[in-house]
């Protein structure tokens, strides 16, 4: 196996080789630093080499490699020079038996990431392995080596535990050798970890990526200042504290009625939540009757902040709820669009044919349950990717383009495969051609909850022949994913009927 044979250290660094590759390229002139540092094995001084660089499929990192000429001790480490991401990430890779190429996939594990294999009830906590650039096989082999390190001493002190551990190591070694199927889960609250997708930009059937909001405990573990009183539901004074996405309005809510301050105040309130695009797009249809503000919790630092909310109706669509939050403590801003009203009985598929520059200026509402597809470039985004957006066709495509570069960084780094680099440069050029509308193309938004919308280019939606809406029955799997199969409203219906 390629990854396991080299081992985890060689997969990361010979930092000197990385420095030579950087120096010979044109992208950066980042210097290689060498400092004397104490060897923890022999007590003599060794050399630590430090290099700030960017690696393929990822972002800025600091590579460090220590070598002692006296006892030949060597070790390496990866630390992240970039920022902590707004959300945590969870990668779930299905590894099939007899598929060695899956074990060779690159894995970037940050200091805050944990690794789990549910089939063995096995977990590698963040503190057990430092930040590394390795492979799936390399990480498993490192875990095996560390578990075997004290087995001889353990057999003398606790034979039963040692015997159970030997049985476990046998199972783990079989997985590392590709002799069994298992699920490899990489969970990083900092959002700075990654598992390679060789099928990119197409979806990988073996890899599932989930982004999530961090809990207060995870915020604290990353070094954020967490307000202890925000973890409960009440303050010491007894006033109510609502979570950021709460839909309820507590006592003391400030109301800014439309008329006394007018739509300008609503526009300003939403714009303060990084939603100028939201306000500009939605205020063309109708101004909010009132903008409500209520206390909330920052999604980045868990400090108290304020969330502004208003309800508006979009023609040919439905009632929607716009929410925006701003944190004065850390500067984090967030805006989101949520549908109002009942859950539709059928899903909706929207197809728009882009033929000229005016078509890329169409307003688009993409809910957080919608998938996006562009058949002409084999581009497909799974349901939930990018979250809910209020933008234009051009803005949606630009957002996709930027997100692909942020998550994967395929054109970055000194050691990237030339074939992959050319592939992604060609794909990026094709996306740019779509933005310039050099030839007609098709945008398909499929939303199982029918909460997405593309604005017509004509006064009457029936006259827009480039835009089609298709309703369909949701499958059992779609209802299960949305949690609708287990939803029981019989008691509520009985209460209303009474």
């Amino acid at each position: 196996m390629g990854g396991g044979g080299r081992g985890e250290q060689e997969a990361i660094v010979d930092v000197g080789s990385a420095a030579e590759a950087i120096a010979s390229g044109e992208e950066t002139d980042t210097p290689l630093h060498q400092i004397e540092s104490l060897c923890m094995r022999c007590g003599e001084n060794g050399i630590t080499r430090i290099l700030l660089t960017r690696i393929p499929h990822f972002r800025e990192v600091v590579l460090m490699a220590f070598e002692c000429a006296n006892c030949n001790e060597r070790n390496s480490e990866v630390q992240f020079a970039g920022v902590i991401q707004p959300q945590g990430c969870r990668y779930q890779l299905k590894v099939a038996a007899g598929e060695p190429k899956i074990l060779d996939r690159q894995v970037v594990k940050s200091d805050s990431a944990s690794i789990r294999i549910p089939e063995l009830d096995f977990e590698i906590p963040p503190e057990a392995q430092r930040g590394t650039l390795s492979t799936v096989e390399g990480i498993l082999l490192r875990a095996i080596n560390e578990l075997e390190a004290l087995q001889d001493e353990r057999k003398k002190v606790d034979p039963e535990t040692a015997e159970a551990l030997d049985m476990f190591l046998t199972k783990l070694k079989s997985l590392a050798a590709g002799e069994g199927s298992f699920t490899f889960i990489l969970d990083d609250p900092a959002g700075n970890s990654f598992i390679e997708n060789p099928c990119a930009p197409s979806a990988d059937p073996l890899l599932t990526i989930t982004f999530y909001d961090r809990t207060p405990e995870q915020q604290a573990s990353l070094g954020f200042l967490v307000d202890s009183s925000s973890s409960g539901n009440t303050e010491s004074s007894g006033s109510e504290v609502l979570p950021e996405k709460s839909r309820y309005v507590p006592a003391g809510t400030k109301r800014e009625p439309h008329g006394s301050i007018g739509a300008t105040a609503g526009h300003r309130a939403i714009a303060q939540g990084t939603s100028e695009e939201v306000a500009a797009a939605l205020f063309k249809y109708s101004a909010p009757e009132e903008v409500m503000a209520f206390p909330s919790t920052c999604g980045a630092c868990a400090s108290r902040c304020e969330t502004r909310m208003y309800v508006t109706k979009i023609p040919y669509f439905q009632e929607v709820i716009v929410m925006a939050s701003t944190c004065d403590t850390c500067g984090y801003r967030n805006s989101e669009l949520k549908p109002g009203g009942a859950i539709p009985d059928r899903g909706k598929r929207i197809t728009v044919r882009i033929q000229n520059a005016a078509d890329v200026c169409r307003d688009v509402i993409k809910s957080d349950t919608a998938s996006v597809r562009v058949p002409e470039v084999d581009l497909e985004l799974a349901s939930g990717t990018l979250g809910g957006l209020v933008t234009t066709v051009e803005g949606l495509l630009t957002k996709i383009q930027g997100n692909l570069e942020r998550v994967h960084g395929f054109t970055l780094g000194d050691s990237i495969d030339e074939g992959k680099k050319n592939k992604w440069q060609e794909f990026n050029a094709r996306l740019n051609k779509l933005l310039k509308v050099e030839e007609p193309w098709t945008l398909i938004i499929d939303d199982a909850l029918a909460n997405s919308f593309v604005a017509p280019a004509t006064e009457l939606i029936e006259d827009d022949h480039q835009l089609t809406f298709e309703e369909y029955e949701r499958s059992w799997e779609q209802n299960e994913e949305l949690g609708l199969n287990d939803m029981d409203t019989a008691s509520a219906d009985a209460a209303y009927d009474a």
Side-chain angles (χ1 to χ4, degrees):
M1 310 259 173
R6 291 190 298 270
E8 179 260 330
Q9 289 184 0
E10 295 180 10
I12 307 179
V13 189
D14 180 359
V15 173
S17 300
E20 292 173 5
I22 291 287
S24 63
E26 300 180 356
E27 295 184 358
T28 180
D29 54 355
T30 304
L32 173 68
H33 299 281
Q34 299 188 33
I35 58 174
E36 283 193 6
S37 53
L38 179 67
C39 176
M40 303 306 294
R41 170 174 287 186
C42 67
E44 300 292 333
N45 280 347
I47 297 295
T48 297
R49 297 176 176 85
I50 303 175
L51 176 69
L52 173 65
T53 186
R54 307 183 78 177
I55 60 177
H57 314 297
F58 205 49
R59 50 183 73 94
E60 300 89 348
V61 295
V62 177
L63 303 179
M64 294 187 292
F66 172 79
E67 183 175 5
C68 178
N70 299 286
C71 65
N72 295 322
E73 169 72 4
R74 294 184 65 190
N75 61 67
S76 56
E77 184 177 353
V78 177
Q79 291 187 359
F80 298 93
V83 299
I84 293 176
Q85 303 305 310
Q87 291 182 305
C89 63
R90 182 182 298 105
Y91 290 80
Q92 181 170 312
L93 177 66
K94 295 180 180 179
V95 182
E99 295 289 342
K101 289 186 177 180
I102 303 178
L103 295 173
D104 287 340
R105 293 198 185 198
Q106 293 186 65
V107 177
V108 178
K109 176 195 175 298
S110 77
D111 292 330
S112 59
S114 63
I115 294 173
R116 287 194 303 115
I117 300 178
E119 289 80 359
L120 296 182
D121 196 19
F122 176 58
E123 180 174 358
I124 304 175
E127 60 274 9
Q129 287 191 8
R130 297 175 298 178
T132 58
L133 169 62
S134 184
T135 62
V136 175
E137 182 187 13
I139 286 178
L140 295 182
L141 291 178
R142 178 176 176 178
I144 292 170
N145 292 335
E146 292 178 350
L147 289 173
E148 286 182 331
L150 300 176
Q151 269 296 80
D152 293 337
E153 290 80 0
R154 192 177 290 113
K155 289 178 181 178
K156 299 175 183 178
V157 178
D158 191 351
E160 293 183 1
T161 302
E163 183 181 356
L165 189 56
D166 280 336
M167 296 174 61
F168 175 81
L169 286 171
T170 301
K171 297 178 181 178
L172 192 58
K173 288 178 181 178
S174 67
L175 297 185
E179 298 174 359
S181 301
F182 65 97
T183 305
F184 186 88
I185 301 176
L186 177 65
D187 192 331
D188 185 6
N192 281 328
S193 294
F194 173 75
I195 295 179
E196 179 185 10
N197 173 14
C199 304
S202 302
D204 186 349
L206 301 178
L207 183 64
T208 302
I209 306 174
T210 306
F211 297 95
Y212 60 87
D213 294 328
R214 291 184 283 266
T215 65
E217 291 77 13
Q218 290 172 327
Q219 297 279 10
S221 67
L222 295 175
F224 284 106
L225 178 62
V226 178
D227 190 346
S228 58
S229 62
S230 65
S231 59
N233 291 328
T234 58
E235 300 178 25
S236 57
S237 61
S239 59
E240 186 176 5
V241 178
L242 292 180
E244 181 181 3
K245 296 184 179 180
S246 173
R247 296 292 182 264
Y248 299 99
V249 182
T253 296
K254 294 187 294 182
R255 296 178 179 268
E256 298 177 2
H258 178 64
S260 61
I261 300 178
T264 303
H267 189 288
R268 182 176 64 251
I270 300 303
Q272 287 175 350
T274 62
S275 50
E276 292 179 357
E277 297 88 352
V278 175
L282 295 184
F283 274 55
K284 292 189 299 184
Y285 302 112
S286 62
E289 292 301 320
E290 61 179 355
V291 176
M292 294 176 287
F294 52 87
S296 182
T297 303
C298 175
C301 69
S303 298
R304 292 181 193 150
C305 62
E306 192 175 67
T307 294
R308 301 166 187 86
M309 179 184 75
Y310 76 83
V311 179
T312 187
K313 178 71 171 66
I314 299 178
Y316 302 116
F317 189 42
Q318 62 186 37
E319 189 177 74
V320 296
I321 302 169
V322 182
M323 304 182 70
S325 301
T326 304
C327 180
D328 295 331
T329 302
C330 68
Y332 176 72
R333 295 180 177 184
N334 176 61
S335 61
E336 60 179 320
L337 183 79
K338 294 294 183 183
I343 296 176
D345 295 329
R346 298 159 64 88
K348 180 181 291 185
R349 185 177 297 107
I350 306 171
T351 304
V352 55
R353 186 69 175 168
I354 309 299
Q355 296 182 343
N356 51 54
D359 289 328
V360 297
C361 297
R362 291 173 182 254
D363 293 330
V364 173
I365 296 175
K366 176 199 169 298
S367 79
D368 49 12
T369 58
S371 63
V372 178
R373 193 159 59 92
V374 181
E376 286 78 3
V377 294
D378 295 326
L379 173 65
E380 183 173 357
L381 272 67
S383 172
T385 308
L386 299 179
L389 295 174
V390 178
T391 180
T392 61
V393 173
E394 180 183 14
L396 177 61
L397 203 60
T398 303
K399 185 80 171 178
I400 293 171
Q401 194 174 23
N403 192 66
L404 286 173
E405 183 175 351
R406 183 189 71 82
V407 174
H408 301 292
F410 292 96
T411 59
L412 305 177
D414 57 284
S415 59
I416 187 172
D417 179 79
E418 195 64 27
K420 291 184 178 180
K421 184 175 182 179
N422 293 336
K423 174 184 176 182
W424 276 94
Q425 286 177 341
E426 292 174 2
F427 181 76
N428 194 56
R430 294 170 68 187
L431 291 181
N432 289 329
K433 288 182 179 180
L434 298 185
L435 289 171
K436 296 176 182 177
V437 199
E438 295 185 3
E439 58 184 27
W441 56 280
T442 307
L443 174 66
I444 302 173
I445 300 178
D446 192 333
D447 191 350
L449 286 182
N451 288 326
S452 297
F453 177 71
V454 176
T458 57
E459 289 293 331
L460 296 176
I461 197 169
E462 296 83 2
D463 296 336
D464 191 343
H465 302 295
Q466 297 171 225
L467 180 64
T468 59
F469 294 87
E470 176 188 354
E471 292 187 346
Y472 61 88
E473 293 290 340
R474 285 188 293 265
S475 65
W476 187 93
E477 290 76 12
Q478 288 176 312
N479 285 330
E480 180 69 14
E481 183 179 352
L482 296 170
L484 300 179
N485 289 333
D486 299 325
M487 186 177 295
D488 184 7
T489 60
S491 57
D493 293 339
Y496 280 114
D497 293 339

